[in-house]
Amino acid sequence: MQATRQQILDYLRREGQATVKELGGLLGLTSTGIRQHLTVLERDALVEAHEERGHVGRPALVYRLTEQGDALYPKKYDDLANMLIEEARRVLGPQAAADLIKSVAARFAEPYVLRVEGKPVAERMEIVARILEERGNIVSASPDGESPAICKHTCEYWNVAQQNSIICALDVEFVRQLVGADARLTSSLLRGDSACTFD
């Protein structure tokens, strides 16, 4: 990242938002120079602008980070999740920790229940595959045939699963809740397979 653009991003991360004038004063650049940097950052989807009305005059453009821009800064969600799982296992015991993961999966599934309700299993499998895609995964499904399956080729919990494979139960239970039939994990990315397969 070019140094001036990084300074702009850092300022927006710290302050929440800024105008061209504020950024110019901070960095000692002209409004034109700041706008050139902001144009590149907008093109890269790292910042966005919105109009804000003052007491007088025309509305000013105010810039802030997008989700993509905010994602450039470190997040320790994986560390937190791993610590919580390990602490749950230590304090509650292995079975209670497993039950907790299943309970979380049921809560994740709740918003999607109406989409699958009353549908046959094969159709539910197709819908669940689409839901998993909506959640950011690469998924393929073969709901018909002797061994119907959903194959999930990505894992949003990969960094957690490497340390705590118990998290895999979350996906199994999520699929089971929505498909309405027993789901087994027959292949796993964690074991080196090409997908996590639920059948």
Side-chain angles (χ1 to χ4, degrees), residues 5 8 30-42:
R5 287 179 208 136
I8 291 170
T30 65
S31 294
T32 304
I34 290 293
R35 282 193 189 92
Q36 287 173 344
H37 288 294
L38 288 168
T39 299
V40 171
L41 292 170
E42 277 187 293

Side-chain angles (χ1 to χ4, degrees), residues 99-147:
D99 292 344
L100 183 64
I101 296 287
K102 286 183 179 180
S103 185
V104 170
R107 290 193 58 193
F108 274 152
E110 269 176 36
Y112 305 106
V113 168
L114 290 176
R115 285 174 62 179
V116 296
E117 221 166 45
K119 309 265 192 309
V121 171
E123 193 176 340
R124 282 176 174 240
M125 287 183 80
E126 288 176 4
I127 294 168
V128 171
R130 282 197 298 273
I131 290 167
L132 289 168
E133 283 177 343
E134 289 164 17
R135 291 171 61 89
N137 296 284
I138 298 171
V139 181
S140 57
S142 52
D144 302 312
E146 283 182 37
S147 54

Side-chain angles (χ1 to χ4, degrees), residues 10-83:
D10 290 347
Y11 185 82
L12 294 176
R13 179 71 181 87
R14 222 176 17 254
E15 302 300 324
Q17 62 182 33
T19 62
V20 169
K21 186 177 178 181
E22 286 173 80
L23 292 168
L26 171 78
L27 299 171
L29 294 173
T30 65
S31 294
T32 304
I34 290 293
R35 282 193 189 92
Q36 287 173 344
H37 288 294
L38 288 168
T39 299
V40 171
L41 292 170
E42 277 187 293
R43 181 202 66 204
D44 294 342
L46 300 175
V47 301
E48 62 189 4
H50 68 280
E51 285 187 350
E52 203 168 88
R53 288 204 172 275
H55 297 297
V56 292
R58 294 184 322 174
L61 279 182
V62 178
Y63 291 84
R64 62 178 164 225
L65 293 181
T66 62
E67 278 187 37
Q68 196 171 321
D70 190 57
L72 295 173
Y73 294 89
K75 307 285 188 286
K76 296 293 183 182
Y77 303 137
D78 297 340
D79 291 346
L80 174 63
N82 276 316
M83 285 291 206

Side-chain angles (χ1 to χ4, degrees), residues 2 4-5 27 33 43 49 52 78 85 93 97 103 119 131 140 153 160 162 165 168 173 181 186 192-193 197:
Q2 195 265 358
T4 303
R5 287 179 208 136
L27 299 171
R43 181 202 66 204
E52 203 168 88
D78 297 340
I85 290 168
S103 185
K119 309 265 192 309
I131 290 167
S140 57
H153 302 278
V160 176
Q162 289 180 87
S165 61
C168 298
E173 184 64 15
T186 54
D193 298 317
T197 305

